[in-house]
Amino acid sequence: MGEPAAPGVGLPEELLRIRGSIDNIDAALVHLLAERFKCTQRVGLLKAHSGLPPSDPAREERQIARLRALAHDAGLDPVFAEKFLGFIVAEVIQHHEDIADTHAADTRVE
C-alpha cells in the first residue's frame, strides 16, 4: 500500500477554491457565534441582576419573524433560518437560566 494522497490532490481547482471559501465562511460563523454569545452572556447577567426572566417570548417571536424575512431576502430557506435561530435561542436561554441560578445562589450567600 502506498502513502495516502495529500488532501485535494487530483481535485479540480474550482472545487478547491470553493472549499476554501466554505472553510473561511465556517470560520467566520464560529467567530460571529462566539461574539453573539458574549453579548447574550452580558444580557443574561443584566437580566439576573434586574430580576428579569431568562426568556423573553415576545422578543423571540419578533426575532424569528425578522430572521425569516432576512432569510427570504437573502435567498435562504426561512424554515431553515428559523430552526437555526431556535437552536441558538434555546442555548442562550439555558445560559440565562444558569446565570440566574448562579445569581440567586450568590444572593442567598451574601
Side-chain angles (χ1 to χ4, degrees), residues 13-53:
E13 282 298 316
E14 182 179 9
L15 177 59
L16 295 174
R17 278 194 305 277
I18 293 169
R19 285 181 173 176
S21 292
I22 290 169
D23 292 349
N24 289 338
I25 292 165
D26 288 346
L29 285 170
V30 167
H31 288 280
L32 286 170
L33 285 171
E35 284 302 309
R36 189 184 195 288
F37 277 98
K38 287 177 189 174
C39 291
T40 60
Q41 287 292 106
R42 291 195 306 266
V43 167
L45 288 169
L46 289 168
K47 284 181 172 183
H49 288 275
S50 300
L52 296 170

Side-chain angles (χ1 to χ4, degrees), residues 36-37 59-68 78-93:
R36 189 184 195 288
F37 277 98
R59 171 158 168 78
E60 292 159 24
E61 191 175 307
R62 288 190 307 273
Q63 285 297 92
I64 288 169
R66 179 178 163 272
L67 190 71
R68 287 180 65 91
V79 173
F80 169 77
E82 184 173 344
K83 288 178 186 177
F84 183 71
L85 181 65
F87 176 78
I88 292 170
V89 168
E91 189 70 17
V92 167
I93 290 170

